[in-house]
Amino acid sequence: LVPGGGAGWQWPADAAVKGELRARLPRLGVWSLLAPPGWRLRGSLAADLQLTGTRADPQLSGRFASDDLALRSVVDGIALQDGRLRARLEGRRLVLEELLLHGSGGAASGGTLRASGEAHWTPTGLQARADARLERLRTLTRSDRQLTVSGQAQASTDGTATRVAGELRVDRALIVLPEASAPR
């Protein structure tokens, strides 16, 4: 910060910035407060991040990882568990090296979701792409709604439009309609 005459203190755009963050958070369960109502998030987080560059052009670098990830919504019947996340920051780019989640029952009976991708910030906005592969992933686990899917999907955005494409197949499904609302 420098004195700006009659304008008070100013922070020049070319002022150097530097910082470092090292965090080890063994339990993310408290972060469920940030999730929508009825959703629960669990896991651990480790981050080693560095900030360099200038105020106008900050550059982030480093890695973060999460283990024992789980995402659950009892009402919706969604239960993903035993997950892992590996990502790195490179300047204005975020690289998702691996996101792995298992359906209810673990990898053997609940299937897997694997995803990777990247995002970067440009003067026109966010540009991102992600690729996902589902292998017999048990996505719904309620007694009246069960769904297992396989396939692949891609998603991308260029700041003006979002595209999702892929090919998914239903391996198993069970949908029980309540007697009162069943069609006649």
Side-chain angles (χ1 to χ4, degrees):
L1 296 174
V2 295
W9 290 89
Q10 295 181 356
W11 189 10
D14 63 348
V17 294
K18 185 173 183 176
E20 189 172 311
L21 171 69
R22 293 189 193 283
R24 303 289 179 266
L25 304 172
R27 302 184 81 190
L28 290 180
V30 132
W31 291 20
S32 289
L33 298 174
L34 302 175
W39 287 82
R40 298 293 174 256
L41 175 65
R42 175 186 89 212
S44 65
L45 178 68
D48 290 309
L49 306 173
Q50 295 79 38
L51 170 66
T52 58
T54 64
R55 180 185 66 84
D57 188 23
Q59 300 293 312
L60 288 167
S61 62
R63 303 183 74 73
F64 54 97
S66 185
D67 291 303
D68 194 30
L69 276 178
L71 180 64
R72 181 179 176 106
S73 171
V74 175
V75 172
D76 297 311
I78 297 171
L80 301 172
Q81 61 191 29
D82 301 328
R84 174 174 64 228
L85 171 75
R86 299 292 183 266
R88 68 181 188 274
L89 287 165
E90 299 173 342
R92 293 179 180 262
R93 193 174 112 180
L94 169 67
V95 178
L96 176 60
E97 296 171 346
E98 176 186 39
L99 172 61
L100 171 68
L101 289 164
H102 298 287
S104 180
S109 62
T112 59
L113 164 67
R114 294 178 189 276
S116 62
E118 66 178 64
H120 61 277
W121 291 264
T122 67
T124 60
L126 176 70
Q127 293 187 350
R129 69 155 186 82
D131 299 301
R133 176 161 299 284
L134 294 79
E135 297 173 12
R136 301 192 59 78
L137 181 66
R138 194 182 286 172
T139 57
L140 295 176
T141 59
R142 287 175 33 156
S143 62
D144 62 337
R145 279 187 255 161
Q146 299 174 16
L147 181 64
T148 302
V149 294
S150 294
Q152 50 80 32
Q154 303 82 34
S156 64
T157 184
D158 62 7
T160 60
T162 300
R163 292 168 194 75
V164 178
E167 187 174 316
L168 298 177
R169 141 182 107 254
V170 175
D171 299 310
R172 180 178 178 278
L174 170 68
I175 299 174
V176 177
L177 298 175
E179 197 62 38
S181 63
R184 300 188 192 280

